[in-house]
Amino acid sequence: AEYMGTPISTRCVNTIHPLLSTNKMPELRKPVFVKVGDLEPTSKGVNLILKVVSASEKLEKERRDGSKLRIGEARAGDDTGMVTLTLRNEQIEAAKEGKTIVVRNGHVQMFKGYVRLEVDKWGKLTQSEEDATFTVNEKNDLSATEYELVTV
């Protein structure tokens, strides 16, 4: 079947997304890594390289479909400070004490007025191939500061 001399399938693809009709993919940008000291309660889409100071599994729940949900915590940081991470399932294995981890597209989540760094399904948390050369600044703990929501 054709429409005005153009096969319908090609025309539909071009209408849906112009990049699908070409073999060109958009160029990927290099990730920009920030430091823990740059994090704010509204930070999102952050990339960090952190060294894990401590890690623990907090709870394990069974979902309705029978699968298990494991939730853990890790305290990690860099030379500017440290933050508490909320970990889920396979992230717990990646964030072992003393290991260096790479957080991509993480976001800050406020929990009872305190800062937590979280990596959801749109982000990625992996162990780094190289160990970090910095020492963690444990004096500047962002998750130890309580924030209060002020309405203006």
Side-chain angles (χ1 to χ4, degrees):
E2 290 186 1
Y3 177 76
M4 296 176 66
T6 306
I8 291 176
S9 60
T10 306
R11 187 172 189 280
C12 291
V13 168
N14 289 342
T15 305
I16 295 169
H17 198 289
L19 288 177
L20 293 176
S21 63
T22 64
N23 290 333
K24 293 183 180 179
M25 291 299 295
E27 288 190 33
L28 298 176
R29 296 180 301 185
K30 293 263 185 212
V32 177
F33 288 91
V34 297
K35 298 284 189 176
V36 172
D38 299 332
L39 293 179
E40 296 175 354
T42 57
S43 296
K44 57 185 177 181
V46 294
N47 301 314
L48 299 112
I49 297 174
L50 305 170
K51 186 183 278 189
V52 179
V53 176
S54 64
S56 63
E57 188 172 330
K58 292 296 180 186
L59 74 108
E60 185 173 322
K61 291 165 71 173
E62 189 168 327
R63 293 181 177 153
R64 290 181 184 168
D65 64 358
S67 63
K68 301 250 187 237
L69 170 67
R70 295 173 30 224
I71 297 177
E73 272 185 4
R75 290 174 35 116
D78 57 21
D79 52 352
T80 62
M82 60 187 308
V83 68
T84 302
L85 282 94
T86 302
L87 307 169
R88 288 188 172 81
N89 299 328
E90 67 279 346
Q91 295 174 350
I92 296 171
E93 279 80 40
K96 295 293 182 193
E97 192 171 325
K99 296 290 183 183
T100 302
I101 57 173
V102 178
V103 173
R104 291 185 189 264
N105 200 22
H107 64 274
V108 170
Q109 186 75 32
M110 298 303 290
F111 179 74
K112 296 183 181 177
Y114 295 94
V115 168
R116 297 287 183 115
L117 185 63
E118 197 171 84
V119 181
D120 58 12
K121 66 180 179 179
W122 304 111
K124 192 173 185 181
L125 187 146
T126 55
Q127 268 188 13
S128 176
E129 288 125 23
E130 303 172 6
D131 283 341
T133 56
F134 54 80
T135 56
V136 177
N137 180 0
E138 296 188 37
K139 292 181 178 132
N140 183 21
D141 189 354
L142 265 65
S143 296
T145 306
E146 185 175 4
Y147 290 84
E148 185 178 341
L149 179 63
V150 179
T151 55
V152 180

